[in-house]
Amino acid sequence: MKLVANFVEKPWGRHDLPDWAAAPADLKDPIGELWFTPPDGAHLPLLVKYLFTSERLSVQVHPDDAQGRARGLAGGKSECWYIIDAQPGATLGIGVRRPLDPQQLRDAALDGSIEEEMIWHPVAPGDFFFIPAGTVHAVGAGIMLVEIQQNVDVTYRLYDYGRPRELHLADGTAVSRALPYDMAQAVRASQGGAVERALARCPIFTVLRATDADGLRARLGQQPVWIIPLAGFATANGDSAGVGECLYLDSPASLCLSADAMVLAAVEGAL
């Protein structure tokens, strides 16, 4: 089925959205996110969304499954980011320069030095980053990206640049693994390599980038899959999706891609 696009207004969002992300006229505030959800409101285990940023998002962290369940949640939240567009100088904050224990992380959040402790990675279109639960992170300004995440609404805000929003220092420092980011979990567009590739593969989800429907079907088997077109069109079971849209398929058996298509495909678990 074709998932429904839901625009979410955010103070750090943008008005200069691409043509394929035209927001409804009644939304006047900046658009920060575009979520894709089933038309019947059912809960899916993964959530696909776009982010559009004009300012840095808060420095934050998410618990893993065990930590989330211990707090009464359905699970934790690991996520990944595929960069669609980045203004000159745009960065992502992922990981910290040196290992920090919970007290050091709390102190850095309170005095603002966490901005200097963070590693701010320059980004370009086509870059990909897997963000395991527990990673201290922040999306920078001037970025448009696709996010694929566990569908659990849990974020612990550690630092917000003096903006008057609630912080969650006790929970956030308790679940953080405040360490340098392992760049083996990133794929840089500048490194080249095949378009057809696995971008993330872990016990929680697998994300592939593909242009060939036959090869993609062979790799996916018969399990449910989210298809996010980055170029061209994807069709299945009478539904079609282009850039800025998303399909959810019980099985990829009927999936077809246009000749100019490039898609992200996400499934639960490891392939």
Side-chain angles (χ1 to χ4, degrees):
M1 62 182 165
K2 187 173 183 177
L3 299 181
V4 176
N6 304 273
F7 290 88
V8 182
E9 296 167 298
K10 295 286 186 180
W12 44 259
R14 291 163 62 171
H15 289 292
D16 59 333
L17 300 184
D19 292 341
W20 52 258
D26 60 336
L27 298 182
K28 304 302 182 184
D29 291 332
I31 301 300
E33 299 181 353
L34 177 56
W35 294 33
F36 296 100
T37 57
D40 61 1
H43 180 88
L44 297 177
L46 299 181
L47 174 65
V48 173
K49 60 186 180 183
Y50 282 86
L51 269 64
F52 313 96
T53 70
S54 63
E55 301 175 12
R56 279 183 177 176
L57 276 64
S58 62
V59 177
Q60 55 190 240
V61 67
H62 311 298
D64 62 24
D65 286 344
Q67 293 164 336
R69 292 182 186 121
R71 289 162 172 77
L73 302 169
K77 184 173 159 184
S78 290
E79 59 194 20
C80 60
W81 301 328
Y82 187 92
I83 307 300
I84 301 298
D85 187 49
Q87 296 175 2
T91 58
L92 296 173
I94 315 174
V96 292
R97 299 183 183 280
R98 60 190 178 98
L100 300 176
D101 64 30
Q103 186 61 52
Q104 290 173 318
L105 182 60
R106 177 185 176 88
D107 291 345
L110 288 173
D111 67 18
S113 62
I114 195 169
E115 288 191 63
E116 286 70 48
E117 294 284 1
M118 295 280 291
I119 303 174
W120 296 94
H121 305 262
V123 293
D127 288 347
F128 176 89
F129 298 84
F130 172 54
I131 312 296
T135 304
V136 179
H137 64 275
V139 177
I143 292 174
M144 180 169 64
L145 60 80
V146 175
E147 178 174 296
I148 300 167
Q149 61 164 85
Q150 290 178 273
N151 196 2
V152 178
D153 186 15
V154 54
T155 296
Y156 298 138
R157 194 178 299 119
L158 296 170
Y159 177 74
D160 203 27
Y161 318 98
R163 292 181 289 217
R165 295 196 293 175
E166 180 185 5
L167 301 180
H168 314 98
L169 293 179
D171 278 326
T173 56
V175 305
S176 292
R177 291 190 286 275
L179 301 168
Y181 180 65
D182 179 4
M183 287 301 294
Q185 299 176 116
V187 175
R188 291 292 203 173
S190 59
Q191 295 172 338
V195 172
E196 312 276 342
R197 65 190 304 172
L199 300 176
R201 185 186 288 118
C202 72
I204 298 168
F205 54 68
T206 298
V207 178
L208 309 174
R209 185 176 59 193
T211 59
D212 176 66
D214 291 337
L216 187 55
R217 286 194 300 268
R219 296 186 70 174
L220 293 175
Q222 297 300 312
Q223 61 186 310
V225 59
W226 289 255
I227 300 292
I228 308 106
L230 304 173
F233 289 88
T235 58
N237 302 320
D239 289 319
S240 177
V243 177
E245 299 176 313
C246 183
L247 295 177
Y248 174 72
L249 310 177
D250 290 332
S251 163
S254 64
L255 176 65
C256 295
L257 301 179
S258 63
D260 60 343
M262 181 168 69
V263 302
L264 298 179
V267 298
E268 275 197 281
L271 288 179

